């Protein structure tokens, strides 16, 4: 995948290519996670009994030996359950059913060709804006945006694998921002409220706690990221390679009869599909904006999202199938019900390698959680940060970096915050900082390294998409291109936080930086 390093390449580019070469020498992800699974089992035996006090309670959490009789029994009995019940697995397969229809019909290809006509500087901005806001669909955006961006770059005759990385970075590294209140805001606010009540009983952190900062972040990060990618990364990593002319994706396009030309029949089909798209989404958005889109659970007394937000995955699935059928009927690419089902099968079939890799990934993550090593590590690191004596803005930066580091190993945002919040929220509160700020610091750090950690459950699917363009693309190819974006997001967000901090701007409605 990597082109040879030349004398014209700068130091930064040489470092990235070095990371790519080293990363691609790692074993196949299946064996990598099999090894990590084995390491977790061994470490659980070595550190058996090491414990911490669960923040905010009198309970202690100790590392469980998974090689003991009890631990081994759990591992064997739950291996299939861990695999079958792995949350991302169902989501990926469902989304690929829909994307299979849009791909086979030719709608996706035609859409990318039309979008590719937009000037590059505006297009990259749109990719980041769309990707960042894509977390409204939760993890579904991780399955949808990267392949779309890869296909878009392919249509522009730009490096499609770099397009995958850009789309993946927009969704994952930008996960904490949005123009709308998403499920993440509801989830984290509930955890923050519980931690806040340790020091102030009855207090509450609302889902809008970070809204002002997040809205501004969405535009600022999208704008700066588009400049960073266009000016500094695209010249070195986004250029077209002749080998893409004969890759699997190119063959699929030619097999579909589309090539790079668009016929009048395909244009008519595309217009019909876009009319349907407008009607479909305007109708759903109108329905979602009726009073009661955000409700309060009368039993638990917490805010809950509307069925529209919680049901966005099946809504997306239905859209992909219907728009693919409408386009396919008009373009003549999907003529029968049998062909429709075949397109769904092809979509899922492309994920065969991902399904295999999920076996060790699901069990590695389950074992890491069951052993309690994740909890012990998070609490001890948080306590170490507390005892380090940092103050002022440097303390806030250290909390961000701490969250960033922990996220390399524990990617579940709610799991990390559930055990970090009871330590960080009270600590900052007694130093005069609000729980809303504590939550924001965590969210910034939690997002930045999402796009470069192989522990992310969706990372293997990116390798599957990349293989359609280059069979030799490996872990190093993805991570090396993602590191600059990850660093950029961290630096940009810390800079934006500095502006907010020193001007003492509100983080959200009624939510300030300091305890008032």
């Amino acid at each position: 995948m990597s082109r040879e390093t030349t004398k014209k390449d700068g130091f930064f580019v040489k470092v990235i290519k070095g990371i790519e070469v080293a990363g691609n020498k790692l074993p196949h992800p299946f064996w990598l996670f099999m090894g990590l699974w084995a390491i977790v089992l061994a470490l659980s035996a070595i550190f058996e009994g090491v414990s911490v006090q669960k923040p905010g309670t009198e309970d202690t959490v100790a590392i469980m030996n998974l090689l003991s009789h009890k631990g081994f029994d759990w591992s064997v009995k739950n291996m299939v359950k861990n695999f079958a019940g792995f949350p991302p697995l169902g989501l990926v397969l469902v989304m690929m059913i829909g994307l299979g229809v849009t791909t086979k019909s030719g709608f996706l290809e035609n859409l990318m060709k039309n979008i590719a006509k937009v000037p590059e500087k505006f297009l990259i901005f749109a990719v980041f804006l769309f990707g960042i806001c894509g977390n409204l669909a939760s993890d579904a955006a991780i399955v949808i945006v990267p392949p779309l961006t890869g296909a878009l770059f392919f249509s522009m005759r730009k490096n499609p694998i770099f397009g995958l990385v850009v789309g993946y970075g927009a969704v994952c590294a930008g996960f904490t921002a949005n123009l709308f209140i998403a499920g993440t805001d509801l989830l984290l606010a509930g955890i923050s409220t519980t931690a806040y009540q340790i020091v102030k009983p009855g207090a509450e952190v609302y889902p809008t706690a970070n809204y002002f900062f997040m809205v501004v972040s969405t535009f600022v990060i999208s704008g700066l990221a588009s400049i960073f990618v266009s000016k500094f990364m695209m010249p070195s990593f986004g250029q077209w390679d002749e080998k893409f002319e004969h890759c699997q994706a190119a063959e699929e396009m030619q097999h579909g009869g589309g090539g790079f030309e668009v016929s009048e029949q395909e244009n008519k089909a595309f217009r019909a599909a876009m009319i349907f798209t407008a009607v479909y989404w305007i109708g759903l958005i109108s329905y979602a904006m009726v009073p009661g889109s955000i409700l309060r659970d009368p039993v638990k007394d917490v805010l809950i999202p509307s069925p529209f937000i919680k049901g966005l995955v099946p809504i997306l699935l239905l859209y992909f199938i219907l728009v693919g059928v409408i386009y396919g009927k008009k373009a003549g690419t999907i003529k029968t019900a049998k062909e429709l089902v075949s397109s769904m099968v092809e979509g899922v079939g492309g994920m065969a390698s991902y399904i295999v890799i999920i076996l060790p990934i699901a069990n590695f993550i389950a074992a890491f959680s069951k052993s309690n090593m994740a909890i012990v590590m998070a609490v001890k690191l948080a306590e170490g940060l507390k005892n380090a004596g940092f103050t002022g803005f440097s303390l806030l930066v250290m909390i961000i970096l701490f969250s960033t580091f922990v996220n390399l190993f524990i990617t579940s945002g709610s799991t990390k915050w559930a055990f970090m919040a009871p330590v960080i929220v009270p600590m900052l509160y007694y130093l005069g900082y609000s729980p809303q700020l504590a939550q924001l610091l965590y969210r910034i750090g939690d997002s930045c390294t999402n796009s470069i950690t192989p522990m992310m459950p969706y990372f293997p699917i990116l390798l599957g998409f990349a293989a359609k363009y280059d069979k030799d693309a490996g872990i190093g190819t993805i991570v090396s291109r993602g590191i600059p974006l990850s660093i950029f997001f961290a630096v940009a967000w810390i800079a934006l936080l500095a502006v907010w901090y020193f001007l003492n701007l509100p983080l959200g409605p009624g939510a300030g930086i300091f305890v008032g």
Side-chain angles (χ1 to χ4, degrees):
M1 170 63 208
S2 64
R3 55 186 179 85
E4 293 183 0
T5 302
T6 67
K7 294 181 179 180
K8 294 182 179 180
D9 292 327
F11 174 76
F12 178 73
V13 174
K14 291 179 180 178
V15 169
I16 297 302
K17 291 178 181 177
I19 294 174
E20 177 184 6
V21 172
N24 284 344
K25 290 183 178 179
L26 290 172
H28 187 280
F30 178 88
W31 298 114
L32 178 64
F33 281 98
M34 284 293 290
L36 290 173
W37 185 9
I39 289 173
V40 166
L41 296 178
L43 290 178
S44 70
I46 294 172
F47 295 102
E48 178 183 9
V50 176
S51 63
V52 294
Q53 182 175 330
K54 190 175 180 180
T57 71
E58 297 297 324
D59 301 330
T60 58
V61 178
I63 293 178
M64 174 183 177
N65 181 3
L66 296 181
L67 292 181
S68 65
H69 184 275
K70 180 179 178 181
F72 183 76
D73 183 64
W74 174 87
S75 298
V76 173
K77 288 183 177 179
N78 288 276
M79 186 181 73
V80 177
K81 181 181 178 181
N82 294 336
F83 170 69
F86 193 54
L89 179 60
L91 187 149
V92 168
L93 296 180
V94 167
M95 286 294 95
M96 293 314 298
I97 289 174
L99 287 174
V101 179
T102 60
T103 301
K104 183 68 174 180
S105 68
F107 171 71
L108 180 60
E109 173 194 336
N110 203 331
L111 176 65
M112 293 302 104
K113 290 176 182 177
N114 279 274
I115 295 177
K117 298 175 183 178
V118 177
E120 184 177 306
K121 59 182 178 180
F122 299 116
L123 190 60
I124 300 298
F125 172 79
V127 167
F128 276 102
L129 185 64
F130 179 71
I132 288 173
C133 292
N135 67 67
L136 185 66
S138 190
D139 290 351
I142 304 176
V143 184
I144 298 169
V145 176
L148 290 181
T149 310
L152 175 59
F153 273 50
F154 187 86
S155 297
M156 296 167 59
R157 296 184 70 78
K158 301 291 185 181
N159 189 313
I161 297 182
F162 184 61
L164 285 171
V165 173
V166 170
Y168 189 66
V171 177
C172 295
F175 191 81
T176 196
N178 210 315
L179 297 179
F180 311 95
I181 298 299
T184 302
D185 298 278
L186 301 171
L187 181 62
L188 295 183
I191 297 172
S192 299
T193 294
T194 301
Y196 191 16
Q197 290 178 352
I198 295 174
V199 293
K200 192 173 182 180
E204 186 172 358
V205 176
Y206 296 100
T208 56
N210 303 140
Y211 185 65
F212 293 161
F213 186 89
M214 291 297 99
V215 169
V216 174
S217 292
T218 302
F219 289 109
V220 171
I221 297 295
S222 296
L224 293 178
S226 64
I227 295 173
F228 177 74
V229 168
S230 298
K231 298 294 184 181
F232 300 101
M233 295 194 70
M234 189 69 78
S236 296
F237 306 113
Q239 300 308 305
W240 180 262
D241 192 306
E242 291 301 321
K243 64 183 173 183
F244 296 132
E245 299 280 4
H246 309 290
C247 67
Q248 179 183 339
E251 292 176 359
E252 290 176 353
M253 181 179 292
Q254 294 296 338
H255 181 70
F260 287 95
E261 300 297 328
V262 179
S263 67
E264 181 58 31
Q265 184 181 8
E266 289 171 331
N267 279 329
K268 291 180 179 179
F270 183 73
R271 285 194 290 270
M274 294 310 294
I275 291 173
F276 166 76
T277 297
V279 173
Y280 186 89
W281 289 108
I282 290 174
L284 283 172
I285 292 173
S286 299
Y287 172 77
M289 293 181 66
V290 299
S293 60
I294 295 182
L295 309 172
R296 182 173 288 276
D297 188 320
V299 178
K300 298 181 180 180
D301 193 33
V302 295
L303 293 174
I304 56 176
S306 71
F308 175 79
I309 296 176
K310 295 178 68 176
L312 201 50
V313 171
I315 289 173
L316 285 168
L317 172 64
L318 181 62
Y319 166 72
F320 287 140
I321 293 175
L322 292 178
V323 77
V325 169
I326 290 173
Y327 181 91
K329 285 287 186 181
K330 291 284 185 179
T333 51
I334 295 181
K335 301 176 181 178
T336 66
K338 184 177 180 180
E339 290 179 341
L340 173 62
V341 174
S342 295
S343 67
M344 296 179 184
V345 172
E346 287 185 22
V348 175
M351 291 296 101
S353 61
Y354 175 76
I355 295 172
V356 172
I357 296 172
I358 283 302
L359 177 63
I361 289 179
N363 281 281
F364 158 69
I365 293 176
F368 196 38
S369 176
K370 182 67 175 179
S371 69
N372 291 324
M373 284 194 291
I375 298 171
V376 172
M377 182 179 75
V379 173
K380 283 189 174 295
L381 286 173
E383 290 176 346
L385 181 64
K386 180 179 180 180
N387 297 330
F390 287 98
T391 58
F393 189 72
S394 62
L395 171 63
L396 309 188
V397 174
M398 285 303 300
I399 291 176
I400 291 175
L401 297 180
F402 164 66
S403 299
T404 296
F405 175 75
V406 173
N407 190 56
L408 290 172
F409 307 96
I410 314 169
T411 56
S412 172
S414 58
T415 297
K416 290 194 300 290
W417 190 228
F419 286 94
M420 290 168 57
V423 175
I424 293 176
V425 170
M427 176 184 76
L428 289 179
Y429 179 83
Y430 289 126
L431 292 173
Y433 298 110
S434 70
Q436 291 87 352
L437 175 64
Q439 177 179 282
L440 176 62
L441 299 177
Y442 165 74
R443 294 180 70 170
I444 291 175
D446 177 56
S447 289
C448 294
T449 46
N450 276 339
S451 60
I452 61 172
T453 172
M455 304 303 167
M456 192 71 163
Y458 297 95
F459 187 85
I461 196 175
L462 205 63
L463 294 175
F465 290 137
K468 290 189 175 184
Y469 301 106
D470 184 354
K471 293 182 179 180
D472 295 326
I475 294 175
T477 306
I478 303 300
V479 172
S480 63
R481 270 77 172 155
I483 287 176
L485 277 176
S486 182
I487 294 174
F488 164 80
F489 271 86
V491 172
W493 252 321
I494 289 174
L496 187 60
L497 177 67
V499 173
W500 233 264
Y501 178 82
F502 291 109
L503 294 180
N504 193 19
L505 300 174
L507 300 173
I513 292 176
F514 302 98
V515 175

